[in-house]
């Protein structure tokens, strides 16, 4: 088991429960220099702003158009005395995220000043100016535009490929080596000692049972972790992800002017179903339907509406599930527009402008609700144990049946859906071994 | 109002912009309308920036009609990125500018500009709020407010309409904020007082955006946390229904409560006949006929 122990030692997620940080926690864990580069992207500034606590947002917008440092006493005087605690918390949050810094006023008093890059780029995203991140203005209308339902189906299908691979079902096309590497790195899969193929781990099982947006966000977090090693700038990738999330669902954007690294990243996103790109005939470095499109302007559609990025764009139709606190929240909450979670990952599918319709809640969400008081780990344990067995021992067959039952029992009430199919595939696989 | 301290999930802001060309600051310098409009657009986008679920409507109020500048009644424009601005904000800006041009072009040339139809615009805003509440998801906590940005003078001609609108807004728990760019508006100030909104007369037009962001951006439940301008003294004088003059002492119909400055034996609003013979000049003792 040397290989698996090696991958375990590389596993940056030592605890069996998967950690899913929200955007602010993620950013606070990065260095100020990283944040400085990150705040060069207007979309990131916008996303960070939206996640700020109430009072902090008002502080920032008041300081946005002020050029000199403002005395800290003045900022404190903006809030009425009864809310002093909230005010202090807002100030700490802003300092931790390097949104503002201490700056002395002539006269010696301590003052606050917004970080230059943050101020400049938040203004750009609000008022205009700066560079567009996508050269879409020169795109002609798309003759073969894909509608939202197509994009949804595409996104779902692509993401399921990844999940099917994890489960090891043979009926799917394989996924790229990069994606496998990420799964290994995240500890969701591990290399089997005997044949070197990747097999799912316990954490991987837990991962399968998460809701789709959470899965995608976790996956992306790990992707960004490994990005630096593959000489992809994590800041650039994160910025691109947020640009995606602030685009309009179903609309097409141009890939002109994107760096090679970003094009690679785009291909990965295509693989995971987050964007849709039509097949590109290689003609002079761009795409084109023959003769119709300008060369060098590849199109991609923002596909995956289940966008989990916190602080992202308008979501007229989502229901929220808070991190583990309301496991049945998905069913109980109305299907549209839940409260903006101050912390915790936004779990439900986001519908951007084009949508606005109700999306059936991902079955994984229901799964969680239906599981009830049964500890989730048990199924995974049984499955792991069953997998360890090989051969046609009748005892083992019985054990495998146990596993199958345990897994099927996890979904007491659910319509036939994605996860049902997945789990029945898994169960079949175990039984057939 | 009722749920003042409960944070809302989504906030709807209706901005009413007075575009009447006979406002003093426009007569003095027509270009100032562009500045005012830029400030209003930036403020509207800041409102949308607060939360992803916030909503916006902008109404342009002219002397011949009021119209929705945003959202556009027909199909939304197809905007593409030209710079780093968030696409939604670009859409808001372009839609407002385009529809304002149409509104101004549609003004009848031969008429002399009259008063701005602010009461009507307020009513339009209330209708929009009511409609969006009807189509909202049950369980979603929304807070709504209307902001009026105007440079017109106070007018009692629309007194009754204003009062109707104010009391409706109070009932619907909609705040009415007023930002007066030029003159003191006692009638609109009454409206702010009735509904719990804020009234501000700004000293200089250059700082309009900053005033809007500081004073009018916080929602109802956030206002208690921030230190904001106080109420001040409100002029609660009523205007008589016959001449629209503000008065402190007058005659009130006991049936419909309309206010008059002079006595008349029949109420012009509800047509009640008053059986009292004339105004009491001297109390006379009437001899009872046996």
């Amino acid at each position: 088991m040397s290989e698996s122990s090696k991958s375990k030692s590389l596993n940056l997620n030592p605890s069996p429960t998967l950690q899913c940080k929200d955007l602010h926690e993620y950013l606070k864990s990065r260095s100020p220099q990283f944040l400085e580069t990150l705040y060069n992207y207007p979309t990131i500034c916008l996303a960070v702003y939206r996640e700020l606590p109430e009072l902090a947002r008002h502080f920032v917008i008041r300081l946005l158009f002020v050029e000199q440092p403002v005395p800290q006493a003045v900022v404190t005087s903006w809030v009425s005395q009864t809310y002093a605690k909230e005010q202090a918390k807002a100030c700490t949050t802003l300092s931790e995220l390097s949104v503002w810094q201490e700056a002395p006023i002539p006269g010696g008093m301590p003052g606050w000043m917004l970080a230059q890059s943050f101020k400049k780029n938040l203004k750009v995203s609000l008022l205009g100016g700066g560079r567009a991140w996508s050269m879409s203005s020169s795109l002609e209308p798309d003759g073969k535009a894909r509608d939202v339902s197509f994009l949804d189906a595409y996104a779902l299908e692509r993401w399921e490929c990844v999940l099917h691979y994890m489960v090891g079902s043979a009926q799917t096309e394989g996924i790229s080596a990069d994606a496998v590497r990420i799964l290994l790195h995240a500890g969701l899969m591990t290399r089997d000692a005997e044949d070197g193929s990747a097999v799912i781990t316990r954490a991987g099982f837990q991962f399968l049972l998460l809701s789709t947006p959470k899965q995608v966000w976790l996956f992306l977090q790990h992707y960004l972790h490994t990005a630096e090693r593959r000489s992809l700038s994590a800041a650039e990738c994160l910025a691109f992800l947020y640009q995606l999330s602030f685009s309009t669902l179903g609309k097409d954007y141009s890939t002109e002017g994107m760096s090679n690294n970003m094009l690679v990243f785009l291909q990965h996103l295509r693989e995971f179903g987050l964007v849709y790109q039509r097949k590109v005939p290689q003609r002079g470095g761009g795409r084109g339907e023959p003769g119709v499109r300008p060369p060098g302007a590849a199109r991609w559609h923002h596909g995956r509406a289940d966008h989990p990025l916190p602080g992202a764009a308008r979501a007229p139709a989502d229901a929220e599930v808070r991190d583990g606190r309301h496991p049945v929240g998905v069913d109980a909450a109305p299907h549209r527009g839940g409260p903006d979670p101050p912390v915790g990952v936004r779990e439900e599918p986001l519908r951007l402008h084009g949508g606005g319709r109700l999306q059936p809640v991902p079955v994984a969400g229901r799964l969680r609700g239906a599981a009830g008081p049964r500890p989730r780990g048990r199924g995974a344990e049984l499955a792991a144990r069953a997998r360890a067995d090989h051969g046609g021992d009748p005892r083992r067959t019985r054990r495998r049946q146990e596993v199958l039952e345990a897994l099927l029992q996890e979904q007491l009430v659910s319509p036939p859906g994605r996860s049902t199919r997945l789990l029945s595939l898994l169960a079949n696989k175990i039984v057939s071994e | 109002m009722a749920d003042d301290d409960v944070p809302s999930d989504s906030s709807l802001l209706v901005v009413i912009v007075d575009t009447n060309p006979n406002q003093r600051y426009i007569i003095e310098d027509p270009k100032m309308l562009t500045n005012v409009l830029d400030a209003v657009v930036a403020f509207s986008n800041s409102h949308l920036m607060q939360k992803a679920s916030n909503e916006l409507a902008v109404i342009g109020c002219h002397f011949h009609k009021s119209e929705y500048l945003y959202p556009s009644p027909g199909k939304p424009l197809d905007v593409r990125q030209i710079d780093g601005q968030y696409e939604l904000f670009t859409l808001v800006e372009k839609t407002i500018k385009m529809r304002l041009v149409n509104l101004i072009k549609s003004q009848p040339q031969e008429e002399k500009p009259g008063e701005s139809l602010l009461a009507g615009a307020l009513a339009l805003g209330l209708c929009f709020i009511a409609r969006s509440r009807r189509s909202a998801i049950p369980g979603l906590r929304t807070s709504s407010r209307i902001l009026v940005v105007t440079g017109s003078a106070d007018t009692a001609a629309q007194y009754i309409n204003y009062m109707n609108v104010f009391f409706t807004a109070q009932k619907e728990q909609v705040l009415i904020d007023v930002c007066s760019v030029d003159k003191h508006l006692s009638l609109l100030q009454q409206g702010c007082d009735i509904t719990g909104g804020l009234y501000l007369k700004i000293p200089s037009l250059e700082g309009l955006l900053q005033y809007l962001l500081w004073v009018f951006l916080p929602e109802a439940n956030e206002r208690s946390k921030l230190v904001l301008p106080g109420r001040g003294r409100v002029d609660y004088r009523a205007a008589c229904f016959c001449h629209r003059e503000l008065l402190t002492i007058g005659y009130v119909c006991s049936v419909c409560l309309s206010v008059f400055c002079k006595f008349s034996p029949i109420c012009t609003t509800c047509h009640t006949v008053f059986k009292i013979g004339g105004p009491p000049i001297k109390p006379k003792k009437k001899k009872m006929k046996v």
Side-chain angles (χ1 to χ4, degrees):
Chain A
M1 280 306 206
S2 59
E3 281 233 44
S4 71
S5 62
K6 211 194 292 177
S7 64
K8 275 206 175 67
S9 64
L10 283 176
N11 187 1
L12 296 171
N13 239 344
S15 60
T17 49
L18 301 170
Q19 273 192 320
C20 205
K21 303 181 200 164
D22 73 343
L23 177 66
H24 277 192
E25 282 167 26
Y26 176 75
L27 290 180
K28 280 180 200 171
S29 67
R30 310 303 307 243
S31 70
Q33 290 79 20
F34 180 77
L35 293 177
E36 180 71 32
T37 30
L38 209 57
Y39 290 153
N40 280 319
Y41 298 96
T43 38
I44 300 251
C45 295
L46 189 54
V48 169
Y49 178 83
R50 273 192 173 159
E51 292 282 298
L52 287 172
E54 229 168 54
L55 283 179
R57 274 188 267 128
H58 287 290
F59 292 169
V60 171
I61 197 87
R62 287 180 175 194
L63 294 177
L64 195 59
F65 298 100
V66 174
E67 296 303 317
Q68 313 93 339
V70 174
Q72 293 186 8
V74 168
V75 175
T76 320
S77 73
W78 288 344
V79 183
S80 69
Q81 287 306 314
T82 31
Y83 293 93
K85 213 164 65 152
E86 212 177 308
Q87 193 253 357
K89 185 160 169 289
C91 288
T92 359
T93 313
L94 289 173
S95 304
E96 279 174 355
L97 289 170
S98 303
V99 168
W100 70 10
Q101 291 119 6
E102 301 222 355
I105 314 265
M109 282 165 46
W112 294 118
M113 194 162 72
L114 285 185
Q116 280 299 69
S117 53
F118 186 86
K119 178 161 49 165
K120 174 160 160 262
N121 287 291
L122 189 64
K123 270 202 227 176
V124 163
S125 94
L126 178 64
L127 304 170
R131 241 171 25 99
W133 53 266
S134 148
M135 304 291 131
S136 309
S137 47
S138 54
L139 277 181
E140 288 159 20
D142 191 2
K144 283 207 243 152
R146 303 293 181 163
D147 69 344
V148 175
S149 50
F150 170 85
L151 292 173
D152 276 347
Y154 172 78
L156 202 61
E157 179 225 326
R158 295 265 80 237
W159 186 245
E160 291 209 352
C161 275
V162 177
L163 297 182
H164 277 299
Y165 178 83
M166 283 180 76
V167 167
S169 90
Q171 65 181 76
T172 164
E173 50 187 86
I175 58 176
S176 73
D178 276 330
V180 177
R181 256 199 295 273
I182 296 171
L183 291 170
L184 290 172
H185 167 86
L188 300 174
M189 297 190 84
T190 178
R191 287 246 176 251
D192 194 11
E194 295 182 2
D195 54 10
S197 66
V199 287
I200 192 169
T201 62
R202 185 162 153 181
F205 268 109
Q206 290 188 345
F207 178 80
L208 283 180
L209 295 170
L210 290 175
S211 70
T212 315
K214 219 168 177 182
Q215 285 176 342
V216 178
W217 174 230
L218 202 66
F219 193 81
L220 287 172
Q221 271 188 328
H222 283 284
Y223 184 95
L224 292 173
H225 244 308
T226 60
E228 247 115 37
R229 258 188 265 150
R230 282 175 284 130
S231 71
L232 262 182
S233 150
E236 214 182 335
C237 292
L238 192 61
F240 184 68
L241 283 172
Y242 270 100
Q243 282 161 354
L244 261 193
S245 77
F246 281 114
S247 356
T248 314
L249 174 61
K251 210 153 154 192
D252 49 357
Y253 294 87
S254 163
T255 61
E256 191 180 324
M258 285 175 70
S259 69
N260 274 339
N261 281 341
M262 283 296 102
L263 287 172
V264 169
F265 186 47
L266 184 64
Q267 289 310 315
H268 285 146
L269 291 178
R270 186 183 174 196
E271 194 187 331
F272 309 146
L274 291 169
V275 301
Y276 168 73
Q277 188 175 24
R278 282 203 286 280
K279 287 270 175 293
V280 181
Q282 290 304 316
R283 282 162 85 238
R287 90 150 254 148
E289 305 247 304
V292 176
R293 307 274 175 268
R299 285 171 182 279
W300 52 271
H301 294 257
H302 181 177
R304 187 58 156 165
D306 299 15
H307 223 295
L309 289 186
R314 283 169 71 102
D318 43 336
E320 313 280 0
V321 175
R322 301 227 174 149
D323 257 333
R325 273 183 275 154
H326 299 280
V328 265
V330 165
D331 279 316
H335 280 280
R336 223 198 122 192
D340 210 324
V343 285
V345 175
R346 191 186 287 260
E347 286 203 48
E348 290 312 321
L350 294 188
R351 282 269 166 271
L352 303 186
H353 301 284
R357 27 162 246 226
L358 301 177
Q359 161 85 358
V361 153
V363 181
R366 286 223 197 179
L367 194 67
R368 175 179 283 182
R374 294 189 71 233
R376 193 168 314 285
R378 188 159 175 268
E381 260 176 59
L382 291 175
R385 255 195 291 147
R387 221 181 349 100
D389 297 340
H390 293 286
D393 192 330
R395 231 180 7 157
R396 292 195 178 109
T397 317
R398 201 178 1 106
R399 220 175 277 163
R400 267 176 249 135
Q401 286 294 86
E402 266 177 46
V403 168
L404 178 59
E405 267 164 29
L407 289 173
L408 289 179
Q409 256 196 324
E410 293 262 320
Q411 349 160 39
L412 291 162
V413 190
S414 78
R418 180 172 57 83
S419 294
T420 321
R421 265 189 296 137
L422 259 185
L423 288 168
S424 54
L425 273 171
L426 174 62
N428 284 341
K429 184 180 183 239
I430 295 170
V431 167
S432 65
E433 268 173 7
Chain B
M1 310 273 92
D3 288 306
D4 251 354
D5 291 333
V6 178
S8 59
D9 306 322
S10 136
S11 169
L12 167 59
L13 170 70
V14 178
V15 182
I16 296 178
V17 188
D18 190 351
T19 55
N20 196 339
N22 72 354
Q23 291 172 84
R24 188 167 71 166
Y25 76 88
I26 297 186
I27 294 177
E28 286 172 2
D29 183 5
K31 290 198 291 296
M32 286 310 279
L33 178 61
T34 325
N35 296 5
V36 166
L37 198 70
D38 279 341
V40 166
V41 167
F43 171 75
S44 310
N45 283 335
S46 311
H47 169 77
L48 289 175
M49 189 165 74
Q50 298 300 308
K51 281 195 214 137
S53 52
N54 278 358
E55 289 172 2
L56 173 76
V58 179
I59 298 178
C61 174
H62 222 61
F63 64 87
H64 64 297
K65 66 171 165 172
S66 303
E67 241 183 36
Y68 285 103
L69 299 181
Y70 180 86
S72 176
K75 226 167 69 99
L77 297 173
D78 182 29
V79 284
R80 294 283 178 176
Q81 283 192 326
I82 41 170
D83 58 13
Q85 193 179 24
Y86 175 32
E87 258 180 11
L88 173 63
F89 299 161
T90 314
L91 173 68
V92 167
E93 200 177 323
K94 287 205 159 127
T95 313
I96 290 179
K97 289 187 172 158
M98 185 189 78
R99 290 187 60 81
L100 179 63
V101 165
N102 292 346
L103 175 64
I104 293 180
K105 275 193 198 159
S106 76
Q107 77 183 33
Q109 293 301 324
E110 53 283 355
E111 273 178 39
K112 195 166 150 317
E115 277 180 11
S116 306
L117 302 174
L118 278 176
L122 282 166
L124 259 187
L126 283 175
C127 290
F128 186 87
I129 291 174
R131 177 163 63 105
S132 86
R133 277 185 181 166
R134 268 202 301 274
S135 55
I137 304 301
L140 184 71
R141 290 184 297 254
T142 46
S143 78
S144 319
R145 61 191 200 276
I146 301 182
L147 169 68
V148 180
V149 179
T150 175
S152 299
D154 211 1
T155 157
Q158 302 177 46
Y159 177 79
I160 300 175
N161 311 45
Y162 275 138
M163 284 301 138
N164 286 340
V165 163
F166 293 155
F167 286 115
T168 312
Q170 185 191 39
K171 217 168 183 176
E172 295 288 306
Q173 297 186 340
V174 173
L175 265 58
I176 296 187
D177 297 323
V178 171
C179 179
S180 169
V181 160
D182 192 16
K183 309 230 168 69
H184 177 67
L185 305 169
S186 58
L187 212 46
L188 286 175
Q189 191 183 21
Q190 280 186 49
C192 296
D193 203 48
I194 292 170
T195 57
L198 282 168
Y199 170 83
L200 186 71
K201 176 180 168 323
I202 62 175
S204 84
L205 204 50
E206 281 77 31
L208 176 63
L209 177 60
Q210 203 69 325
Y211 283 110
L212 290 177
L213 291 175
W214 281 53
V215 177
F216 297 110
L217 192 60
E219 300 173 25
N221 59 284
E222 295 169 0
R223 289 182 183 188
S224 49
K225 301 182 186 166
L226 293 163
V227 175
L228 294 172
R231 290 281 175 83
R233 269 193 344 174
V234 187
D235 181 1
Y236 270 116
R237 283 182 298 165
C240 73
F241 282 40
C242 33
H243 308 100
R244 305 284 190 263
E245 277 171 22
L246 294 176
L247 23 99
T248 38
I249 298 179
Y251 296 87
V252 181
C253 166
S254 47
V255 174
C256 66
L257 297 180
S258 7
V259 175
F260 301 101
C261 53
K262 284 206 289 268
F263 174 76
S264 95
I266 297 181
C267 169
T268 43
T269 319
C270 62
H271 307 295
T272 318
V273 178
F274 298 123
K275 298 229 175 65
I276 311 173
I281 306 161
K282 245 182 1 188
K284 270 190 195 156
K285 274 216 168 126
K286 285 202 175 137
K287 285 205 178 119
M288 295 286 281
K289 285 204 173 139
V290 178

